[in-house]
């Protein structure tokens, strides 16, 4: 990858926004060859180090999910683990995949996986079946396991059937298509490239749905804005689900680091607005005087 490409704004699907390509080239030209060489060397070495350490990081994440803890403890440990991996030098998108992959490999129901893949008529012992499944998953990279973790059991069965028939595991591209066909979260849009032609076929995330509704409201009649009294509560519930489910982390992982920084700025702006809203509407307890 050219250094100028790293500094070129990206589209939502991760491709380069060609409108800014000439500006990025100008910036790199002004910075000079020596500056570009130092930065690219840094980029190259960090990528190689990240790739080399990824296996150890995945092993560490897996072990973190083998320790028993309550829901509150798990929430804090996961948050600290995510921050630690970033501090160690892993890119945010890589951290998200590591967490998802490690969680899946440590928590998936191997008995359900075996029953789905092999049925109940297999002549192999339970241990042999278990070892086959473990070996099968071990042949995938972190990105592939992340995709499988977000694919339903039937989708993973389809991937395994491909492996049994062809002797090779699904490619990353094929796994992405399979995940879109069998998503654990139907509202997830990571990796999709929506267009007006297929807009009706894709289900937007709650945040995107809210954004689209705002665009429509500009030309809508006043009466249509309040058709359903429960819509506000539903929107808040979907927003909370979006945060609690980890969907926001997966959404951020779609973007380049520079774009993620801008999104974090937007999130911080939302935080201040929420705090202001809560302070203005906070209920005051009134104690009756007898």
């Amino acid at each position: 990858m050219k250094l100028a490409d790293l500094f070129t704004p990206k589209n939502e699907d991760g491709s380069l926004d060609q409108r800014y390509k000439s500006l990025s080239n100008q910036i790199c030209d002004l910075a000079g060859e020596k500056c570009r060489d130092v930065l690219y060397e840094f980029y190259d070495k960090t990528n190689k180090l990240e790739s080399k350490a990824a296996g150890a990081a995945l092993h560490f994440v897996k072990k973190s999910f083998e320790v028993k803890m309550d829901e509150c403890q798990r929430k804090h440990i996961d948050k600290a683990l995510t921050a630690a991996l970033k501090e160690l030098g892993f890119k945010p998108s890589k951290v998200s995949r590591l967490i998802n992959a490690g969680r899946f490999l440590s928590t998936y129901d191997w008995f359900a996986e075996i029953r789905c893949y092999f049925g109940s008529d297999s002549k192999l012992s339970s241990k042999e079946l278990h070892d086959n499944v473990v070996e099968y998953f071990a042949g995938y990279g972190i990105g592939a396991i992340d995709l499988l973790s977000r694919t339903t059991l039937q989708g993973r069965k389809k991937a395994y059937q491909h492996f049994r028939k062809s002797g090779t595991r699904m490619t990353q591209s094929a796994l992405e298509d399979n995940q879109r066909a069998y998503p654990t979260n139907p509202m997830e849009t990571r990796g999709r490239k929506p267009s007006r032609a297929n807009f009706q076929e894709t289900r937007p995330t709650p945040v995107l749905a809210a954004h689209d509704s705002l665009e429509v409201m500009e030309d809508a009649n006043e009466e249509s804005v309040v058709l359903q009294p429960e819509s506000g509560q539903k929107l808040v519930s979907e927003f909370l689900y979006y945060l609690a489910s980890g969907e926001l982390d997966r959404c951020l992982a779609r973007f380049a680091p520079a774009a993620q920084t801008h999104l974090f700025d937007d999130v911080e702006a939302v935080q201040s607005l929420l705090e202001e809203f809560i302070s203005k509407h906070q209920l005051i307890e009134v104690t009756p005087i007898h």
Side-chain angles (χ1 to χ4, degrees), residues 192-213:
R192 296 182 184 178
K193 301 180 182 179
S195 64
R196 283 296 169 187
N198 63 6
F199 182 77
Q200 296 297 330
E201 299 176 8
T202 60
R203 298 183 61 184
T205 62
V207 172
L208 290 177
H211 174 70
D212 289 340
S213 67

Side-chain angles (χ1 to χ4, degrees), residues 106-122:
S106 294
T107 60
Y108 75 88
D109 185 342
W110 64 267
F111 181 75
E113 217 80 19
I114 288 173
R115 185 172 53 187
C116 183
Y117 294 177
F118 302 98
S120 57
D121 299 327
S122 177

